[in-house]
Each structure stands twice: as C-alpha cells, then as structure tokens.
Amino acid sequence: MEPYQALANAIVELAVKDYKKALKQHHRFPNNRDYSDAVTDLERFFRSGWYGILTDLDGEYLMTAVRRMVHKEVAA
C-alpha cells in the first residue's frame, strides 16, 4: 500500500471512530450542543469533496452503517 493511501485510510478510520463516539454522546446527552455540532461536522466531512478524494467508499452508506451499529449498541 502506498504511504498516501495508508494516510487517507487512517483519516477515514479516525473520522468513523469520532462519528461513532459523537453519535453515542449525542444519544446520551441530546441537548448538548457540542455533541450535536460534532455529529453535524462529521456528517459534512463524509459528504465532502475531500472525503471523496480520500476514498471510494460511499459516505452516505458508511454513515448509515455506523448509525445502525450505534443504535444497536445504545439500545442494548
């Protein structure tokens, strides 16, 4: 794997982890503006042109998968 591709993958992986954490925190504290803003900012990233440069993964699909995972975890 090329070093730039490894970096791109690491950026996307970190964004997914941050999104998952932000969704969980937003679920626990729905009135906390910081968590709501974090979710919004990360969703903007997954829809951005920069995200499209980093990966071929569909951002909407990825967000839906993470939301489902978090929903299962917080519902358990």
Side-chain angles (χ1 to χ4, degrees):
M1 177 181 307
E2 295 291 325
Y4 71 89
Q5 188 60 50
L7 177 60
N9 290 348
I11 291 168
V12 172
E13 184 179 333
L14 182 58
V16 168
K17 288 178 183 179
D18 289 348
Y19 186 53
K20 186 176 176 182
K21 182 178 178 180
L23 286 171
K24 286 180 179 181
Q25 293 296 341
H26 182 59
H27 175 77
R28 289 184 191 124
F29 307 102
N31 295 324
N32 186 308
R33 182 81 173 161
D34 291 335
Y35 299 133
S36 176
D37 289 348
V39 169
T40 300
D41 289 346
L42 286 157
E43 289 176 348
R44 188 177 303 121
F45 167 73
F46 288 119
R47 294 180 177 115
S48 72
W50 186 43
Y51 173 82
I53 291 170
L54 295 172
T55 184
D56 292 334
L57 295 172
D58 182 279
E60 293 294 332
Y61 177 82
L62 186 59
M63 286 188 293
T64 299
V66 173
R67 281 189 220 113
R68 285 182 181 153
M69 184 185 329
V70 168
H71 179 73
K72 287 180 183 179
E73 289 178 15
V74 298

